[in-house]
Amino acid sequence: MSSCKKDGILTGDTQTDIFDKDVWTDSVRTIQVLTSIYADLGPESMTTRINTSNSLSEFSDESDERWATTTTTPAGTFQKGNYSASSLPDPFNNIWKNTYKSIRKANLFISRVDEAPLSAVLKKRMKAEARFLRAWYYHLLMKHYAGVPIVDKVLTLDDNFNIPRNSYEECVNYLVKELDETAVDLPMEYTGTEGYNHGRITKGACLALKARVLLFAASPLFNGGAADPNPIFGYPTASQNRWVKAADAAKAVIDLNFYSLLQGTDGNNSTAEGFYNVFLQRVNREMIFVRLAGSNRTYENAHLPSSRGGSYHNSPNGDYVDTYPMKNGKPITEPGSGYDPQNPYVNRDPRFYRSIIYNGATWLNSSTNTKQPINTYFNAPSDGLSIPFVTPGTQTGYYNRKMMSEDVTGSTGGTEHFFPFMRYAEVLLNYAEALNESGQTTLAYAPMKEIRDRAGLSPADLPAGLSQEQMRKYIRDERRIELAFEDHRFWDIRRWKIGASTYGTVLTGMKITKNANGSFTYEKFNLPKPASVFIEPKMNLLPIPATQVNISDKLIQNPGW
């Protein structure tokens, strides 16, 4: 991938443009074009989306405090509600421009690969890969903007570039058709002599993306709930049948009987071992579409506190931390859960210990080569909470732990990390949500139990007789926990239309005071100001860049922008 540039192919010291006819007479160069489309998957997988720049998810890190008083940083502008269609630089990595560039390359590859000196079998498979990637990039655009212009050919100077947006329904139908057709031409996995192709698109990836596209289409924001009745922004009227289609699509992935949740050793999930390893194990049946997201100690350097060699000191917010139930599966606010406000980290969901660094949690100390406690109590050296916040340290009393190797620090050791674009746990949660919203609440119990079993909750069963609304709360909390920092929460908040009750609220933390006798006192507190301003319904969709809208009399801007 490093041998490719976005607009050309590097061969020695010279750059060959991908539109050069000689590219398509050379098998290596032809394949490099496809490889470069894979390499463009950065906007949703770059580490900057899940560390200091990802304040738009579950973090309230030290940068939030800076952004709250500064409008010059892109994320700060967005958080304060001052973001506009003309804002530059763009905190969303120029998603409009870069995604259409990737789509253009996919269109080019699809139209020219038959000219290449490759076998008919390989051409067929690679063309299917390119069609999936094109669908993936359209899926990204639709998450940001709703209906977008569908361009499925290579535009030339003779074409009309003043292209209107397709309706949201047309975009959904286009992707569903593309993914259904593409799935037929792709294998379930690459084995034997093709093992080196591990990570390429598979049939399962096509069906899983289809299920996600239909889930979004069925969600409140797009299913009759847009701010404007124009069909570009969603279906003008709601239909419960869209939830049925989303459930059927997720079930089709499950019925492949190929994917499964990664379990702990000998099936023991009491410590959420499988949940921990899924992000570190190169080959496993839970990952459906994945990218090597960092080698050596990329994540550890970005997330760990100062005492363990970290650089950015991210602080998960207290509301997110409080979403983790007790090990018995009960929310901490439920009577009989066993939650003790003065001993808050005992007997919690096993994923809690794999996802959160809290006061007293242990991590490798490279100087002693042993795991030692990290202190996050008020004014603790290096890693402690300070009010008002002063770097280094934590704003909330917590640090992130998820997706990191516990045998690595931010300055020593090394490992590989695998960022999931799609994994089987998401498919199960998509299925549960679609079942519940389609009125089949009783059927949602099974996929939820599968998730909670692997999490190590005991018992894993949800309470019997839940209403649709009660089940909805469990499902949404489960997504917040299981899929945290995997680029879901930002979009879930929007498609559920709950931005005003999440982003617009004051975040919380845990102030821990160390007493003279060595014991601790725990007190929840509110951060000084909201992490962000959410303007509803405007911010449920993001603005098309003004530079694009201003040169077209057909490209309609999103409502409110």
Side-chain angles (χ1 to χ4, degrees), residues 437-470:
E437 299 300 336
S438 64
Q440 305 176 82
T441 299
T442 56
L443 297 181
Y445 277 86
M448 286 290 285
K449 185 177 188 302
E450 193 168 344
I451 291 285
R452 290 161 66 89
D453 265 329
R454 196 277 294 275
L457 298 177
S458 181
D461 302 85
L462 290 171
L466 292 175
S467 67
Q468 183 185 58
E469 184 176 353
Q470 290 170 327

Side-chain angles (χ1 to χ4, degrees), residues 528-547:
K529 55 179 71 69
S532 58
V533 174
F534 193 92
I535 303 171
E536 197 171 28
K538 173 181 175 178
M539 294 180 76
N540 283 327
L541 294 176
L542 300 175
I544 294 174
T547 53

Side-chain angles (χ1 to χ4, degrees), residues 9 117 230 342 415 435:
I9 299 169
N230 189 318
Q342 289 305 311
T415 188
L435 286 171

Side-chain angles (χ1 to χ4, degrees), residues 37 68 131 183 472 479 502:
I37 306 171
R131 288 179 71 184
R472 181 181 299 131
R479 286 184 70 91
T502 53

